[in-house]
Amino acid sequence: MANKFHPVSFVLSFFFFFFMIHSSNAAYNVISYGAKPDGKTDATQAFLRVWAAACSSATASTIYVPKGRYLIKAIEFRGPCKSRIRVQIDGTIVAPLDYRALGNSGYWILFIQVNGVSVFGGSLDAKGAGFWACRRAGQNCPVGARSITFNWANNVLISGLTSINSQLTHLVINSCNNVQVRNVRLIAPDLSPNTDGIHVQGSTGVTIIGSTLQTGDDCISIGPGTRNLHISRIKCGPGHGVSIGSLGRQLNEDGVQNITLTDSVFTGSDNGVRIKTWARPSTGFVRNVLFQNIIMRNVENPIIIDQNYCPNNIGCPHQSSGVKISEVTYKNIQGTSATPEGVTFECSPSNPCKGIKLQDIKLTYMNKAATSSCKNIDGTSTGLLIPESCF
């Protein structure tokens, strides 16, 4: 396969990189820069001052957020910085109760153009309930804020972070290289709109390990231009599953390739592993994808490719997707479906799915074999298959 990804060597490189981070010799405590841990006093400027000090440090540094609650409005941590920065959070960072206070930037906490930043521990509470209520009521609401975003960042580690009640997506990784997400917990009610757990797009070499994702939208969504993404040992649900897409909204769009999801459990989610594309012309593609060693527990649509996505049937002149899907393997996926149809392949009539592989699938519905359906697909199947292959 082209551009084969080797997650072991990638992880080893991270161990070396973050061993170096632990040699930090400059420490900056947010309280020393004026932050008060009372959850009421605006600490935004104090956090910006401590970032400016750490970012200008000639040696690797640590920003320390002690126990307590720190009120932060929309904030931007901009690089490039002179040295590596470790952010150690022992407290909780909270957003204002008035959801309008985060403005219309689309971000709450934004790291931009940073290299060698690591974030350890801590909690984020975006207090998103007011924003969700505004949207449900159809009022004139702000655009909404993603809780923590990394734009154009390289060599980043996010470990042990908890995020609750984001207005929109909890964690966004956009146009980044070499990012590792470990043991995070991203939590929002199952009916909270657009509260995706992690969204990755335009990024290469992202690894997501050992995380719990309980959301109102996709546990993980994978957007255009994502390459060499390795996901393992996640717990997903409630939520909309792990989705590649939606893709193909634009005519000229970067493809998605070398995606691996292994050793994970889905519980009560609206989808399991999903590939979703718009039913319109596009230069996009999905190739070299592996879904392996996955347990489904009462999951709707455990395995699904949907190339007919077209909200409100607007802008899809031929109801046919230009996104080319190929070399997707489903291996050792077992458990229970909440819908009679456990395997659904609705591929594009103009660009059929190619090289789809099914191996050792066992999905039941109400203690009986689930069903499968296929359209416009070519592939192979081996091993035990419940339901039987439809191609």
Side-chain angles (χ1 to χ4, degrees):
M1 296 177 183
N3 299 320
K4 190 170 183 180
F5 178 45
H6 297 284
V8 173
S9 61
F10 178 68
V11 170
L12 287 174
S13 70
F14 257 97
F15 278 130
F16 173 76
F17 176 73
F18 291 107
F19 171 78
M20 296 298 292
I21 279 183
H22 284 287
S23 64
S24 301
N25 54 13
Y28 301 91
N29 189 319
V30 295
I31 291 179
S32 301
Y33 284 76
K36 293 184 178 180
D38 58 8
K40 299 176 182 178
T41 306
D42 187 352
T44 308
Q45 293 304 314
F47 274 65
L48 286 172
R49 287 191 293 269
V50 79
W51 175 261
C55 190
S56 61
S57 171
T59 59
S61 59
T62 297
I63 294 173
Y64 181 52
V65 182
K67 290 182 179 179
R69 295 174 67 82
Y70 301 84
L71 176 64
I72 299 292
K73 295 180 180 177
I75 192 167
E76 180 181 292
F77 299 117
R78 179 174 286 272
C81 297
K82 291 185 176 179
S83 298
R84 298 180 303 274
I85 297 176
R86 171 186 174 116
V87 182
Q88 177 67 51
I89 307 172
D90 288 350
T92 298
I93 297 173
V94 299
L97 188 59
D98 181 0
Y99 57 88
R100 293 181 179 84
L102 294 183
N104 275 302
S105 71
Y107 307 106
W108 178 25
I109 299 167
L110 171 63
F111 289 86
I112 185 167
Q113 293 180 323
V114 298
N115 298 303
V117 166
S118 57
V119 178
F120 286 88
S123 297
L124 308 177
D125 182 356
K127 299 185 181 296
F131 175 71
W132 309 330
C134 178
R135 292 191 60 185
R136 277 194 295 267
Q139 297 173 354
N140 184 22
C141 311
V143 296
R146 302 155 188 86
S147 283
I148 183 167
T149 300
F150 290 84
N151 282 348
W152 300 289
N154 301 312
N155 302 322
V156 170
L157 171 64
I158 304 144
S159 177
L161 179 72
T162 296
S163 171
I164 65 170
N165 297 335
S166 55
Q167 287 190 2
L168 296 174
T169 303
H170 290 265
L171 168 60
V172 175
I173 299 166
N174 174 53
S175 302
C176 297
N177 293 292
N178 297 335
V179 177
Q180 189 166 128
V181 180
R182 300 178 61 92
N183 304 321
V184 300
R185 297 176 65 250
L186 310 179
I187 312 294
D190 59 351
L191 296 180
S192 56
N194 302 115
T195 53
D196 299 63
I198 303 172
H199 179 68
V200 182
Q201 70 176 34
S203 298
T204 300
V206 176
T207 301
I208 302 169
I209 300 175
S211 296
T212 298
L213 311 161
Q214 300 172 343
T215 70
D217 209 309
D218 294 329
C219 292
I220 299 174
S221 59
I222 301 162
T226 301
R227 299 176 182 227
N228 301 352
L229 169 63
H230 185 84
I231 305 166
S232 64
R233 302 198 316 274
I234 66 162
K235 296 177 181 177
C236 170
H240 295 179
V242 172
S243 293
I244 298 176
S246 57
L247 303 177
R249 184 171 188 175
Q250 306 299 327
L251 175 61
N252 295 303
E253 192 174 270
D254 290 337
V256 171
Q257 63 182 348
N258 304 341
I259 310 296
T260 300
L261 167 62
T262 66
D263 304 308
S264 296
V265 178
F266 292 70
T267 304
S269 52
D270 290 1
N271 299 283
V273 290
R274 174 171 63 166
I275 302 175
K276 181 173 72 169
T277 75
W278 283 72
R280 58 201 296 177
S282 176
T283 61
F285 62 84
V286 177
R287 61 174 174 248
N288 191 17
V289 177
L290 173 63
F291 299 115
Q292 178 174 283
N293 300 340
I294 296 170
I295 295 173
M296 304 286 182
R297 295 174 176 161
N298 198 37
V299 171
E300 299 178 18
N301 311 310
I303 296 173
I304 181 169
I305 295 178
D306 176 10
Q307 293 205 261
N308 293 316
Y309 184 63
C310 192
N312 303 315
N313 291 315
I314 296 175
C316 305
H318 305 295
Q319 196 65 33
S320 184
S321 177
V323 176
K324 297 174 177 63
I325 298 175
S326 63
E327 307 304 321
V328 181
T329 298
Y330 303 86
K331 185 176 182 181
N332 190 27
I333 299 177
Q334 303 184 30
T336 55
S337 174
T339 46
E341 191 167 284
V343 178
T344 305
F345 294 125
E346 293 270 352
C347 296
S348 169
S350 58
N351 293 282
C353 300
K354 298 179 180 179
I356 309 301
K357 301 180 182 68
L358 291 174
Q359 180 178 345
D360 296 326
I361 308 296
K362 185 180 180 182
L363 295 170
T364 61
Y365 169 72
M366 303 288 285
N367 298 316
K368 297 180 180 179
T371 62
S372 61
S373 69
C374 292
K375 289 182 180 177
N376 311 308
I377 185 169
D378 176 68
T380 59
S381 53
T382 58
L384 174 68
L385 294 174
I386 301 175
E388 293 181 358
S389 174
C390 51
F391 57 78

